[in-house]
Amino acid sequence: TDNVNGLRVSMMPYISFPMRNLASYFEPKLQLDYTQYSLNGSSNFSNSPSRVLPILSIDSGLFFERETKLFNTSYLQTLEPRLYYLYVPEEDQSDLPRFDSGLYTFSFNSLFRDNRFSGNDRRGDANQVTMAVTSHLINAETGQSLGDISVGQIFYLRDREVTLPGGQIRDEDGSALVAEVNARLIKN
């Protein structure tokens, strides 16, 4: 964190238009990230720096299902491909203090975050596409899930230039391939 005292106001109004049916969904979303500071006695920062950034995301997916039998039990197996696009313009944020921002631990949920930084002091620039697929196995008689498996990866369309202090520009073409497995091993 920076050695500075002050107040921060952060707002993120958005508008989205979710379109859903039984077999698919498509949700464009436009957000506005507004952050304003009121700082006391800092020699490194102005007294009232601010940031305003638009964030565009499009989340979409399909749902396929089929009946299958395992160990004489009927199951419903789903296949759910998902495509997520995120665009955030690059803006130099070195004039803003860092009270609480850090990097998230990378996980399957990270594939669909609109900011690679935690907290409100940094907004990561992005022009990226995430492709993922999930499959559930559901007991056809009881409706209980036996488990699911998910696999996905982010493909970066440009370098990520916004960093934390001391960080470096990220220029790889894609994230690590991430998998997540959930299973219900016992009845209760």
Side-chain angles (χ1 to χ4, degrees), residues 120-136:
N120 292 311
D121 299 315
R122 292 294 180 271
R123 170 61 62 179
D125 54 324
N127 190 5
Q128 63 193 44
V129 174
T130 297
M131 293 193 305
V133 65
T134 298
S135 181
H136 288 88

Side-chain angles (χ1 to χ4, degrees), residues 13-28:
Y14 70 90
I15 185 169
S16 68
F17 187 68
M19 294 170 269
R20 299 179 184 275
N21 61 39
L22 292 176
S24 65
Y25 67 93
F26 182 82
E27 183 175 350

